[in-house]
Amino acid sequence: MTQTLTLRRPDDWHLHLRDGDMLRAVLPHSAAHFARAIIMPNLVPPVVTGAQAAAYRDRILAALPIGADFTPLMTLYLTEDTDPDDVAAAHASGLIRAVKLYPAGATTNSASGVSDFSRVAPMLERMADIGLPLCTHGEVTDPAVDIFDREAVFIDRVLDPIRRDYPGLRVILEHITTEDAADYVRSAPENLAATITTHHLVINRNHILAGGIRPHYYCLPVAKRETHRLALRRAATSGDPRFFLGTDSAPHTDANKLLPCGCAGCFTAPNTLSILAEVFEQDAALDRLEAFTSLNGPAFYGLPPNDTTITLVRTPPSYPMHIPTPDGPVTVFDPDMALNWSVS
Ligand code: DOR
Ligand code: ZN
């Protein structure tokens, strides 16, 4: 039985680091394991200009533990007023690696997102021209659409039309939760990819709702039925270069998770790699873990894989169940299964 596993150092292609005290509390957990991460721009207020992205990057770098080797890959939050020249300049300087599309109202801090897609047409055209990828939160917000169908309807109503209108645009359908999304990505040309979170490989909607409501499993897109979870496992463990890790690790204090209307997000940064090793081993795919965590993402983003490595050993991991912040604890995602691999 394999006892150690050495991988090129992983990257996280979808991460929420927040700001201020929360940033200082959560960043060490990502920087300990990941070399780079695509940093989500849904702060309050959102990161919409190149100047704001540069200032946010500097705050992240200032919050890094001494000696940490971690590069934040910045993104801009797409609004109907985003200035294509500002975005193109931020891309040309190497500051930003992607632009993030939130349909207005889809999730945490998405109020400044897009409602009228005609207003972002010049931006999308420019991004296709300059090769700047679009990260998408793939859910429609139409209240008439059932929350469990919002991703599949987004593909039909929003994503497919965008891809037809801008065939050269590189698009990442983020945190996919359905078999429909996995099939759609597989059937598309190579300029479409998908990220998959750790938690969506582990939980289905029963974990959230059966036998009592478990707010710490509530995230968006919400976990779907078991057939979809199994489809995500097949996609992630397949080695197909279009699927790669984006944890969507999204910290909220317990106080904010446990409200009558609690926040969406699972905080997986501390135990993601232990959980993934378990998942890939269960599916007899440990030899394809590195593709998912460390190779497919950089290839899609046109970056070299990391030349350093990380080693996992067959020992149950130890990590805190909660991490402290000045505003109260943040609960670490509970995978509800025994874990046998730790990062050494
Ligand atoms: O569960 C989620 N939490 N999904 C998102 O899309 C946003 C994120 C957050 O920022 O908390
Ligand atoms: Zn997210």
Side-chain angles (χ1 to χ4, degrees):
M1 203 190 256
T2 319
Q3 299 298 328
T4 69
L5 195 60
T6 296
L7 313 172
R8 288 210 191 227
R9 201 136 166 259
D11 302 305
D12 185 348
W13 299 96
H14 181 132
L15 176 64
H16 296 271
L17 287 177
R18 317 299 191 201
D19 214 341
D21 289 333
M22 183 66 93
L23 167 65
R24 281 184 285 278
V26 301
L27 176 60
H29 294 278
S30 288
H33 297 164
F34 294 93
R36 298 172 289 198
I38 284 277
I39 309 301
M40 286 298 119
N42 62 333
L43 304 183
V44 188
V47 180
V48 296
T49 66
Q52 288 168 339
Y56 184 32
R57 181 193 53 191
D58 291 346
R59 294 197 297 280
I60 295 169
L61 294 175
L64 275 173
I66 292 168
D69 173 17
F70 177 82
T71 305
L73 305 175
M74 307 310 291
T75 63
L76 289 178
Y77 185 119
L78 182 62
T79 73
E80 292 178 5
D81 300 314
T82 294
D83 171 7
D85 290 335
D86 180 58
V87 174
H91 171 63
S93 72
L95 171 65
I96 62 154
R97 298 290 174 175
V99 168
K100 173 71 186 249
L101 164 67
Y102 288 104
T107 187
T108 310
N109 303 334
S110 61
S112 314
V114 177
S115 307
D116 176 356
F117 283 84
S118 70
R119 295 200 46 189
V120 296
M123 189 65 251
L124 298 180
E125 207 160 294
R126 187 75 167 269
M127 288 171 62
D129 281 351
I130 62 180
L132 177 58
L134 179 72
C135 293
T136 57
H137 182 105
E139 288 189 289
V140 292
T141 54
D142 178 348
V145 177
D146 188 276
I147 190 162
F148 291 104
D149 298 331
R150 287 181 180 187
E151 182 174 282
V153 174
F154 176 88
I155 294 171
D156 289 346
R157 285 195 196 165
V158 181
L159 181 59
D160 204 55
I162 287 179
R163 294 192 45 258
R164 271 188 271 115
D165 289 348
Y166 312 97
L169 186 64
R170 300 179 71 67
V171 180
I172 300 106
L173 181 54
E174 300 195 282
H175 42 51
I176 61 169
T177 59
T178 56
E179 184 165 24
D180 314 58
D183 288 346
Y184 181 76
V185 169
R186 261 189 224 101
S187 70
E190 279 168 13
N191 61 355
L192 179 67
T195 58
I196 303 179
T197 76
T198 306
H199 48 283
H200 287 115
L201 295 174
V202 174
I203 60 168
N204 63 32
R205 62 196 196 182
N206 280 15
H207 286 85
I208 313 170
L209 296 169
I213 186 159
R214 293 184 188 73
H216 291 297
Y217 288 144
Y218 173 62
C219 66
L220 288 171
V222 70
K224 309 296 191 295
R225 62 169 66 239
E226 178 67 355
T227 48
H228 293 295
R229 185 184 73 92
L230 295 175
L232 300 178
R233 296 258 300 221
R234 286 194 298 276
T237 59
S238 67
D240 184 326
R242 257 96 62 72
F243 298 104
F244 44 87
L245 175 64
T247 65
D248 200 12
S249 181
H252 294 277
T253 61
D254 287 357
N256 285 331
K257 288 292 291 176
L258 304 177
L259 290 170
C261 182
C263 294
C266 297
F267 177 57
T268 55
N271 56 4
T272 269
L273 290 178
S274 295
I275 298 171
L276 289 174
E278 200 64 38
V279 163
F280 277 65
E281 180 156 57
Q282 285 171 3
D283 292 2
L286 268 185
D287 58 329
R288 293 193 283 272
L289 179 60
E290 185 181 44
F292 184 66
T293 60
S294 317
L295 302 177
N296 297 348
F300 188 82
Y301 274 89
L303 294 167
N306 297 304
D307 47 25
T308 50
T309 59
I310 194 169
T311 297
L312 294 156
V313 292
R314 189 183 292 284
T315 309
S318 75
Y319 54 84
M321 290 175 71
H322 313 274
I323 63 157
T325 82
D327 296 321
V330 173
T331 292
V332 175
F333 177 73
D334 173 5
D336 194 28
M337 62 180 172
L339 299 179
N340 296 295
W341 290 94
S342 6
V343 178
S344 76

